Amino acid sequence: MKNSVFDILKKVKEEGIKLELKNGSLSLKSKVKITNQELIREIKEKKELIVDYLKEYQSLNSQDAVPSKNPILAFDRDVVKEIPLSYGQERLWFLDQLQGSEEYHMPIVLRLKGDLDVGLLEKAFRMVVNRHEILRTVYDEKEGIPYQEALPINQWVLEQTKTPLGEKVSVTINELVKKPFDLSVDHMLKAHLLESASDEYILVVVLHHIASDDWSEAILINEFVQFYSALKWDREANLPELSIQYADYAIWQREYLTDTVLEGQLSYWEDR
């Protein structure tokens, strides 16, 4: 029945008619005289279905959170073997396969000075990567269809180089930032510590956008600081357990954004 509603909404759009809900009642708006009487008849026949759909659609678009009847839940890792990519991941994976993805590297460069415990630095980063599967997720394909899987924990390592922090260091930093990710084997967070002989360091961290964004950066930095402080002072980091991972969202998105919901979302943004 939903398909017939979409057919009507598509025709309505082509005719330049706008359907709206006002206090639960269906309202038609058009800048020109409506001459398609067959369409008017269809709208009247399917009025209740159209009203129900618009109510559901308005509810979805009035909330930033996931609708309560479609929550994101942790999937059974023993059941789902080839985890699909989210639509955003798939776009970036395709671009990487096509031409590389250097423009989607997200660098953080910090100059550090003083008594730095490099061992704790590496452990703190490893704890962040262990905590967030997306940072240790790699991407492969089967018959042209990409899928993702998480690498085991405790495999991440901090790269280190002893080098004078002179004028040429900017060249080294640029090379590290631009060094390509191999999405099929690399962790999606890389860190390289450039160390001089006088307790001066430059920390070059590079994230791939397939695993992070600007909003996520602040979360990762905050968690790194908490892990480092906890290790330094021999205490537990005050961080809540993660109930879901990004892979759970990718599976939810693929299952939830099926034809009906996806068509509604597309129609919404096309109208805007």
Side-chain angles (χ1 to χ4, degrees):
M1 298 299 287
K2 280 288 183 72
N3 287 336
S4 62
V5 172
F6 284 128
D7 289 339
I8 293 173
L9 294 177
K10 185 176 180 181
K11 293 176 185 177
V12 164
K13 186 176 180 181
E14 290 171 350
E15 292 283 337
I17 302 171
K18 195 166 187 179
L19 288 177
E20 293 182 345
L21 277 182
K22 286 189 175 181
N23 299 322
S25 298
L26 194 62
S27 172
L28 278 69
K29 286 186 178 181
S30 177
K31 293 182 180 179
V32 297
K33 185 177 180 180
I34 302 174
T35 57
N36 191 335
Q37 296 303 315
E38 177 65 20
L39 178 57
I40 297 299
R41 182 184 63 77
E42 288 185 80
I43 293 173
K44 288 180 179 179
E45 288 181 354
K46 305 293 184 182
K47 181 179 177 180
E48 291 185 5
L49 289 174
I50 294 172
V51 169
D52 289 343
Y53 169 77
L54 291 178
K55 283 181 178 179
E56 179 181 356
Y57 184 60
Q58 285 183 354
S59 174
L60 286 176
N61 285 282
S62 66
Q63 303 176 50
D64 292 328
V66 178
S68 59
K69 64 179 180 180
N70 290 290
I72 302 175
L73 302 173
F75 67 91
D76 188 341
R77 304 303 170 101
D78 294 327
V79 174
V80 184
K81 298 301 182 183
E82 295 178 358
I83 305 168
L85 277 59
S86 70
Y87 292 115
Q89 286 176 311
E90 191 172 68
R91 178 177 65 88
L92 290 171
W93 178 85
F94 176 77
L95 288 172
D96 182 78
Q97 296 292 304
L98 187 66
Q99 62 188 28
S101 54
E102 179 187 313
E103 62 269 35
Y104 293 101
H105 293 187
M106 301 174 60
I108 303 171
V109 181
L110 301 173
R111 184 178 289 271
L112 308 173
K113 189 172 182 178
D115 184 19
L116 177 67
D117 191 323
V118 178
L120 293 190
L121 181 77
E122 182 174 40
K123 287 181 181 179
F125 270 119
R126 188 178 296 128
M127 291 170 79
V128 171
V129 174
N130 287 349
R131 176 174 166 84
H132 296 279
E133 275 187 359
I134 190 67
L135 298 177
R136 50 188 171 86
T137 291
V138 294
Y139 305 86
D140 209 337
E141 64 173 295
K142 185 175 182 180
E143 297 180 352
I145 305 299
Y147 64 91
Q148 59 180 300
E149 59 181 344
L151 297 172
I153 63 172
N154 294 326
Q155 290 190 354
W156 187 92
V157 295
L158 173 70
E159 299 292 334
Q160 299 180 57
T161 303
K162 286 187 178 291
T163 180
L165 302 184
E167 293 181 2
K168 292 184 179 180
V169 74
S170 60
V171 176
T172 303
I173 292 172
N174 192 51
E175 290 174 349
L176 291 173
V177 169
K178 291 186 175 182
K179 184 179 179 180
F181 280 80
D182 184 338
L183 299 187
S184 66
V185 297
D186 289 340
H187 285 81
M188 295 298 107
L189 183 153
K190 297 179 181 179
H192 201 116
L193 188 67
L194 304 176
E195 179 183 358
S196 73
S198 56
D199 292 335
E200 290 189 13
Y201 309 83
I202 291 181
L203 178 64
V204 182
V205 179
V206 185
L207 292 151
H208 197 289
H209 189 41
I210 200 170
S212 185
D213 54 22
D214 290 339
W215 185 78
S216 303
E217 273 187 6
I219 295 174
L220 297 178
I221 291 171
N222 175 64
E223 292 190 358
F224 165 77
V225 171
Q226 292 206 44
F227 280 130
Y228 186 85
S229 297
L231 290 168
K232 186 175 179 64
W233 300 108
D234 193 24
R235 58 176 174 78
E236 290 292 323
N238 187 26
L239 291 172
E241 291 291 327
L242 297 178
S243 59
I244 59 172
Q245 297 284 343
Y246 189 87
D248 299 307
Y249 166 76
I251 291 175
W252 171 88
Q253 187 188 58
R254 291 289 181 171
E255 291 180 347
Y256 177 61
L257 291 184
T258 51
D259 291 342
T260 53
V261 177
L262 188 57
E263 180 68 23
Q265 295 288 336
L266 289 172
S267 297
Y268 175 84
W269 289 110
E270 284 172 356
D271 186 55
R272 291 302 180 273

